[in-house]
Amino acid sequence: MQAAPADQQRLLDLQALDSKLDQLAHRRRTLPQLAEHAALQTRASQLRDLLVASATAQSDLAREQRKAEADVDQVRTRAERDRKLLESGSAGARELSNLQSELESLAKRQSDLEDIVLEVMERVEAADNRTAGLTKRREAAEADLARVTASRADGLASLDKDIAFATSQRDLLAAQLPADLLALYEKLRAQYGGIGAAAIKQRRCEGCRLELDISEVNEIRAAAPDTVLRHDSCRRILVRTPESGL
Ligand SMILES: [Zn+2]
């Protein structure tokens, strides 16, 4: 393939822009805020789930507390009724003894139920504390998430600006190159890890970093300036520059 030396030089500029674009795309993919954002989102969502569970536990406990308190009330009402009957003096001797023994067992029952109420109240307090703690943690996670979301947007916007600028430069340059040279470069770039054209610097291929041997150097020296050179070792396009050491 033949190409004007100036076009061969432009190919190196194009390669530099393409490599820069590859780096920018890599930075965009691996922006630390992306991983941070994903981790915070997971944490915020876990905390939301825990809060839902905690709120459910709270409402179950509230129901349990109401039930226990109603049980105590029921026993208390019954005992009151018994005491009134007792005090009215209208009960016979047998009924009197029955009332007294019932009052004793009601007192015991009331004390047991009051213990249950206290125990439930302790659990209610623990559940309230847990919900309050989770709420604080969720608020902190959501504040972090908002901060990282903004920082991620800034980071992406700045990279996108650089990418847009480099892309427009790249497109202008590509439009100036002969179609066959550009097509060969694109093909090799896709094939060889993003590098399709490389300068020769101090008799070394900048694409694969191998030093050219003497027969390669001689071949290159003998080649016409318009000849598009390829490196035998890495197959990339080789471009001669003033630093080639030929
Ligand atoms: Zn090479």
Side-chain angles (χ1 to χ4, degrees):
M1 188 182 289
Q2 305 281 305
D7 285 336
Q8 295 187 35
Q9 294 301 315
R10 281 196 192 98
L11 201 55
L12 289 181
D13 296 338
L14 186 70
Q15 176 66 73
L17 281 168
D18 277 336
S19 295
K20 184 178 174 182
L21 278 165
D22 287 346
Q23 280 168 16
L24 286 168
H26 176 77
R27 276 172 58 194
R28 199 185 192 288
R29 276 195 307 275
T30 56
L31 196 70
Q33 291 96 313
L34 292 175
E36 260 181 89
H37 186 270
L40 280 169
Q41 243 180 350
T42 305
R43 197 162 92 203
S45 131
Q46 282 167 344
L47 285 167
R48 273 194 294 272
D49 290 349
L50 287 173
L51 266 169
V52 169
S54 189
T56 307
Q58 273 181 301
S59 96
D60 289 350
L61 279 169
R63 198 179 313 116
E64 217 177 305
Q65 189 181 350
R66 282 195 300 276
K67 163 90 170 59
E69 283 167 351
D71 289 349
V72 171
D73 280 349
Q74 210 182 3
V75 170
R76 213 180 267 147
T77 308
R78 174 96 186 176
E80 226 164 280
R81 193 207 64 164
D82 287 358
R83 256 191 304 276
K84 272 184 188 151
L85 265 174
L86 208 64
E87 284 159 7
S88 72
S90 63
R94 184 178 181 109
E95 205 185 345
L96 213 62
S97 144
N98 283 346
L99 282 172
Q100 269 161 346
S101 89
E102 186 175 89
L103 273 169
E104 273 166 34
S105 71
L106 284 173
K108 167 84 174 70
R109 174 104 179 104
Q110 183 173 340
S111 157
D112 289 350
L113 287 170
E114 279 168 353
D115 286 349
I116 291 174
V117 170
L118 283 176
E119 184 257 335
V120 172
M121 280 167 76
E122 273 168 24
R123 281 159 63 207
V124 166
E125 198 188 339
D128 289 350
N129 287 340
R130 176 167 165 75
T131 298
L134 284 170
T135 302
K136 262 192 199 149
R137 283 170 61 198
R138 189 195 59 182
E139 282 165 3
E142 271 164 9
D144 286 349
L145 188 60
R147 185 178 47 73
V148 169
T149 302
S151 152
R152 180 187 64 166
D154 286 350
L156 289 177
S158 155
L159 283 171
D160 285 344
K161 205 175 130 197
D162 292 349
I163 289 168
F165 183 66
T167 302
S168 69
Q169 282 184 308
R170 193 249 175 234
D171 291 347
L172 275 176
L173 199 56
Q176 294 171 35
L177 288 171
D180 58 349
L181 183 65
L182 183 63
L184 175 64
Y185 160 77
E186 301 274 25
K187 192 186 103 187
L188 295 172
R189 185 172 128 72
Q191 237 173 325
Y192 300 117
I195 299 177
I200 304 167
K201 199 170 181 185
Q202 306 306 322
R203 300 186 179 186
R204 189 183 292 276
C205 166
E206 290 279 285
C208 66
R209 303 267 159 197
L210 280 182
E211 207 166 326
L212 305 176
D213 63 36
I214 191 66
S215 70
E216 284 173 314
V217 169
N218 286 336
E219 262 177 58
I220 291 167
R221 279 180 179 149
D226 278 358
T227 301
V228 174
L229 304 170
R230 301 279 296 277
H231 190 193
D232 282 340
S233 305
C234 73
R235 303 306 301 140
R236 295 182 175 98
I237 298 169
L238 281 177
V239 180
R240 286 153 282 187
T241 76
E243 282 98 57
S244 292
L246 296 167

